[in-house]
Amino acid sequence: MPETDAPENRDREPPKTDALLASSTSLASGRPLRSPAFRWFFTGWSISKAGSAMSPVALAFGVLEVTDSAVWLSAVITASMVPMIATLIIGGGIADRYRRDTVLRLTSLGAGISQAGVAILLLTHQHPALLLPLSALNGIFQALTTPAMRGIVPQLAIGRGIQQANSLLASARNTTRIVGPTAAGLLTVSVGGGWAIAADAASFLLAAVCFARISLPDLPSRAKGDPTMLGELRQGWGYFSAKPWIWSVTLAFAVFNAVNMGVWQILGPVIADDTIGAEGWGLVLSARAAGALLASMVMVKLTVRRPMVPALSSMTLTAVPLILLGTGANTFWLAAAAFAAGVAADFFTVVWSTVWHIHVPERLISRVGAYDDFGSFASIPVGQLSAPVLAAAFGTAAVAITGGALLAAAMLFPLLLPSLRRIELNTPAAD
């Protein structure tokens, strides 16, 4: 598309209401936690993420405890992921059409109830087939929650406070990623996976209570002739497809997620079992989480004027652990590379979230974000399914090294666009 100095007026963010500015003025000065609304959101987010960090370990061992079958575990996970991906776009439409604080309250309540059902089934050792519809419900609630979560920050923060808020949220998420799996493991070993899932259910319900303390301004009343939900989704697609700086990053992360989930998540433990062992692999994963936490803490203070070039360039570091996996590197070098990859990944995450919140109009942000998430996540099953097949054909080492090279190239691809390279954190992005 031809480049312009600024987006058209119809893409500019409408002025915030006096009530909303009053609640977020302190955020503009870089003190997000001074805002009561943000404090409640941050608390609810942190509690919810803590439960979610426990869930994978608890669910895996809970299902295996009941079934002793990897097939059933795969079925339960798939039953959640497929509906989640399928309903993401609808979730974006809902989050832009209704008050996001209301959406978060309802979806957190629904997720808490459905997870409580999973916990009961595991604790009473019911047939695993009964887990499938509840897993599907959890996936749907996640799809409805994600766009609302992604769109609410600009309603709670303004100016420089947006990056501060995103950094704090990332720090909380990374902390739970370190602590959550350990807590889930201890609960699973001591009282069983079902009780760990029950703790996750409680976290959703507590988050719903926190979100109930947030009160965003009511949306304008809908008039006759306003677009239907389908029409609004078309508007979101029109904006997404017209912005190369957005969809180029989406395409890059479609490759990233396919490779990372296939090589790192699936083949990583297989390779580690023959090289550094389970203990070494645990250290590598902890190093990556520690790097991510460090980056999110630093980004509370660090601001880069034109951040997309360093953010995407640094993401090439995430290819290094994959390549080292393929070359049979020892634990020290693999952990060091994983630490650097964690730093790079969370630096990008905070930058991208902040750019997104500043440059995408609030009225479209959840719909456009849903298309971004859908495009990025839809490739995950492809990577998970193809990695073992490719490894059987060409060897795990060759797949890991090739995957690393492909990932690095994908991260550099969006930088070919001048509009993306010129994006600043305080001015509108070019088309």
Side-chain angles (χ1 to χ4, degrees), residues 65 122-123 125 183-199:
E65 180 183 339
L122 291 176
L123 290 170
H125 291 76
L186 292 174
L187 278 174
T188 300
V189 169
S190 58
V191 294
W195 286 109
I197 291 292

Side-chain angles (χ1 to χ4, degrees), residues 259-349:
V259 171
N260 193 60
M261 294 300 289
V263 176
W264 188 255
Q265 298 289 343
I266 303 298
L267 299 184
V270 175
I271 297 174
D273 190 49
D274 293 330
T275 53
I276 62 176
E279 183 179 358
W281 185 242
L283 290 173
V284 169
L285 296 181
S286 296
R288 187 176 183 120
L293 178 59
L294 175 64
S296 58
M297 294 172 65
V298 169
M299 289 301 290
V300 173
K301 296 293 184 181
L302 178 66
T303 301
V304 181
R305 180 168 168 260
R306 290 187 173 179
M308 291 308 298
V309 171
L312 281 167
S313 298
S314 67
M315 279 296 293
T316 59
L317 291 174
T318 60
V320 178
L322 305 186
I323 295 172
L324 290 179
L325 268 177
T327 59
N330 62 32
T331 302
F332 174 81
W333 289 111
L334 197 53
F339 179 86
V343 171
D346 238 70
F347 172 57
F348 175 86
T349 297

Side-chain angles (χ1 to χ4, degrees), residues 11-38:
D11 289 341
R12 293 189 186 278
E13 187 71 19
K16 295 190 177 185
T17 65
D18 291 340
L20 186 54
L21 283 173
S23 70
S24 57
T25 299
S26 62
L27 294 182
S29 65
R31 302 291 180 90
L33 293 175
R34 288 185 177 180
S35 164
F38 181 79

